[in-house]
Amino acid sequence: MTEMGSDHRHLAGVALVTGSTVFFALAGVFTKSTTAGPWTIAGWRGLTGAALIAAYVLWRRRQGAGETTLRLGWRGWLLTVVGAVSSILFIASFKYTYVANVAVIYATVPFIAAAIEWALFRQRPRSRTMATAAISFAGVAIIVSGGLGAVNLFGDLLALAMTAGCALYLVMIRAFRDTPAVWAAAVSALILFAASWFVVDPLAVSANDVVVMCAFGVSFAVAVILWTEGAKLLPAAEAGLLGTAEIPLAALFAWLLLAELPPATSVVGGAIILAAVLVHAGRDIATVRKDATAVG
């Protein structure tokens, strides 16, 4: 591939991943813009999101560029279950705490994933990752401490549980490389739609809420597709760094669209986590570029 072609692929990757963060960052706004409960939101988002992601996967297969198989197997079904549980926790956490809290707690996913990989596969994380994880969890502790005795403590704990589930999901994707991950995401969303009928009545909502929840599903599908395509064109470290843009964007959207201002403990803890993640990702990128230069 020519240098110009490589540059175009890189720019396309940056644009796609950055665009995905905008849609991911809107999750809190969509959740809090409807009076519906978490299960109802998960159901409608799941229906719309699953339909769009499935259509995308099938279209890519017809183009000969999609996942080679749609067979899930036990690994794929395990992915869908973990993804579904993480999704309902994700949506519920927004209902009980600040959008900014959920966003910054979620930023610790890579470090929890590293701990899970060490526990399951004895893959010892780098000392830099361990140090960054310790700093990040200190930030999480500060955020959670701000909720002690307040109504948002439950939401913060839900966000922690969701983050652990997403970290496990990430580890499973790495371990199950032959499993169609995007297709599993579509099936996971559809599972939530089906499950919601056993918990609530998804039709017992206003027309306005249906519009908001369906828009949430569209946003979710677009985010997944943009991230999937963009991450293929970038080194993992750079994609991860660009993904951190979701954190300040989520807080900004919550402030502009919901007039939601988190307490000082959330701001301090969030700043600590964001700084730790940015420094860690930045050093990873520097290492990758140094290695590439040495090879070149």
Side-chain angles (χ1 to χ4, degrees), residues 39 43-44 47 190-204:
W39 276 105
W44 282 101
L47 177 62
L190 196 58
I191 286 175
L192 281 178
F193 171 68
S196 67
W197 286 87
F198 292 94
V199 181
V200 295
D201 179 5
L203 299 179

Side-chain angles (χ1 to χ4, degrees), residues 46-63 66-67 70 182-183 185-187 190 221 224-225 229:
L47 177 62
T48 311
L52 291 177
I53 295 174
Y56 168 76
V57 170
L58 295 175
W59 174 76
R60 290 284 288 171
R61 279 173 61 83
R62 291 194 189 98
Q63 302 300 313
E67 294 171 328
L70 298 183
V182 180
W183 182 247
V187 176
L190 196 58
V224 170
I225 292 169
E229 293 300 329

Side-chain angles (χ1 to χ4, degrees), residues 67-92:
E67 294 171 328
T68 58
T69 179
L70 298 183
R71 184 180 178 83
L72 291 175
W74 70 267
R75 293 180 177 85
W77 284 109
L78 188 58
L79 265 181
T80 64
V81 172
V82 173
V85 172
S86 300
S87 291
I88 188 62
L89 289 174
F90 178 63
I91 293 171

Side-chain angles (χ1 to χ4, degrees), residues 5-177:
S6 178
D7 289 342
H8 286 163
R9 284 174 57 83
H10 182 267
L11 288 175
V14 170
L16 290 170
V17 171
T18 303
S20 75
T21 64
V22 176
F23 290 96
F24 278 128
L26 286 169
V29 172
F30 279 120
T31 301
K32 293 197 170 187
S33 295
T34 172
T35 57
W39 276 105
T40 304
I41 297 172
W44 282 101
R45 189 197 78 157
L47 177 62
T48 311
L52 291 177
I53 295 174
Y56 168 76
V57 170
L58 295 175
W59 174 76
R60 290 284 288 171
R61 279 173 61 83
R62 291 194 189 98
Q63 302 300 313
E67 294 171 328
T68 58
T69 179
L70 298 183
R71 184 180 178 83
L72 291 175
W74 70 267
R75 293 180 177 85
W77 284 109
L78 188 58
L79 265 181
T80 64
V81 172
V82 173
V85 172
S86 300
S87 291
I88 188 62
L89 289 174
F90 178 63
I91 293 171
S93 63
F94 284 122
K95 286 293 188 179
Y96 295 99
T97 191
Y98 300 98
V99 171
N101 286 24
V102 179
V104 295
I105 290 174
Y106 178 74
T108 62
V109 161
F111 311 121
I112 297 179
I116 293 174
E117 287 181 327
W118 176 80
L120 296 180
F121 309 115
R122 288 297 183 263
Q123 293 183 9
R124 181 177 176 82
R126 296 168 298 172
S127 57
R128 183 168 74 227
T129 300
M130 294 172 67
T132 306
I135 295 171
S136 298
F137 292 140
V140 171
I142 292 173
I143 293 172
V144 174
S145 70
L148 294 177
V151 293
N152 61 291
L153 175 60
F154 180 60
D156 291 342
L157 295 178
L158 285 177
L160 276 172
M162 173 273 298
T163 302
C166 290
L168 177 59
Y169 190 85
L170 179 60
V171 171
M172 291 166 63
I173 287 180
R174 291 172 180 170
F176 306 155
R177 295 188 182 276

